[in-house]
Amino acid sequence: LSPGLLVVAGSFAAFRLLNRGLERLAPPPPSARRNRWKWRNIWTSLAHSVLSGGGALAGFYLHPELSKDLVGTHPPGAYSLVAMSVGYFLEDFVDMLCNQKLHQSWELLFHHSVVIVCFGIAVLLHQYVGFALVALLVEINSIFLHLRQILLMANLVHTTCYRLNSVVNLGTYVVFRIATLAWMTRWLFLNRQNVPPATYAVGTVGMAIMTPMNIILFYRLLRSDFFK
């Protein structure tokens, strides 16, 4: 087995263990006890967002060469971070498949499938690690998305903390999600001559799926937190 696949497997097991132990680490409040699975799932997702979003920022800071070569440069730390994320998305995919009805989770399952394929290519080929790291910058916004869900489940909607998180969530959504995905789409288009056709096709399809999904989610957030 390649080191990357071992990291994927180790990450899957670690996030599974974290998920199982979260009721002791972060006991659900009375308002969340009717859906204990979701409470554990969101906290697990938050842990991944903090690790991957912070790790992506650190990766570009510690290895500035990554921003100049998104294809061939793959420092061990950045490569391991991408592999770790594949393990997380696999764990979350299995977790949702086992605990939620398909009509409730099909959007996220679809999203995770696209990410697993795209990141899996980077792990297996030892290429496009920088491009995958750019994609992980999206997880900086996911931190506040998950905090929003936790506050909702804890019945803390009418609090200053929730309102502050809503503003930060919207700001980071524009900067780290919409702008990042737009930049990635532009990079793919400008570098289409240097990317193998199969990889270019996967990347283009991935961006074509992610962009409308994120625009729809942005509209839902605006409607729920600001235009209600």
Side-chain angles (χ1 to χ4, degrees):
L1 288 175
S2 72
L5 293 179
L6 289 173
V7 173
V8 170
S11 170
F12 180 93
F15 280 108
R16 202 80 189 131
L17 285 170
L18 175 65
N19 188 296
R20 294 298 181 194
L22 263 165
E23 285 212 34
R24 294 177 184 175
L25 295 170
S31 56
R33 285 173 192 163
R34 296 173 70 180
N35 200 345
R36 292 173 181 271
W37 164 78
K38 189 177 180 182
W39 180 259
R40 294 196 310 271
N41 180 271
I42 295 168
W43 275 100
T44 306
S45 299
L46 177 62
H48 168 258
S49 295
V50 171
L51 285 171
S52 57
L57 276 178
F60 282 113
Y61 176 76
L62 295 171
H63 304 284
E65 68 274 12
L66 269 170
S67 58
K68 297 172 186 175
D69 180 14
L70 298 181
V71 179
T73 305
H74 53 276
Y79 177 80
S80 296
L81 189 69
V82 175
M84 180 272 289
S85 288
V86 174
Y88 159 74
F89 284 113
L90 283 168
E91 189 278 333
D92 201 44
F93 188 97
V94 171
D95 196 36
M96 284 190 290
L97 210 56
C98 294
N99 293 285
Q100 262 193 325
K101 293 178 181 177
L102 193 59
H103 74 271
Q104 295 175 308
S105 60
W106 72 268
E107 287 181 77
L108 273 176
L109 290 173
F110 190 50
H111 167 274
H112 284 16
S113 300
V114 173
V115 174
I116 289 164
V117 170
C118 294
F119 281 20
I121 289 172
V123 171
L124 291 172
L125 298 184
H126 289 256
Q127 288 188 310
Y128 307 100
V129 170
F131 192 72
L133 218 62
V134 173
L136 283 177
L137 291 173
V138 168
E139 292 297 323
I140 293 169
N141 167 249
S142 294
I143 294 170
F144 303 100
L145 273 176
H146 298 319
L147 280 174
R148 177 182 179 275
Q149 286 184 293
I150 288 167
L151 291 168
L152 280 170
M153 289 193 73
N155 205 18
L156 296 171
V157 180
H158 305 293
T159 62
T160 304
C161 186
Y162 183 88
R163 289 193 293 273
L164 180 62
N165 185 74
S166 294
V167 173
V168 177
N169 183 30
L170 205 68
T172 55
Y173 200 103
V174 172
V175 174
F176 290 106
R177 194 172 287 267
I178 293 176
T180 297
L181 288 171
W183 187 91
M184 290 169 69
T185 303
R186 177 178 175 274
W187 185 92
L188 265 178
F189 178 76
L190 292 176
N191 291 274
R192 61 191 182 280
Q193 303 297 334
N194 304 319
V195 178
T199 307
Y200 179 74
V202 171
T204 304
V205 170
M207 292 298 102
I209 291 167
M210 294 297 183
T211 301
M213 285 181 73
N214 280 283
I215 291 170
I216 291 167
L217 179 56
F218 185 68
Y219 167 72
R220 288 175 181 170
L221 285 170
L222 278 176
R223 187 181 63 183
S224 176
D225 287 357
F226 295 93
F227 297 152
K228 187 179 285 187

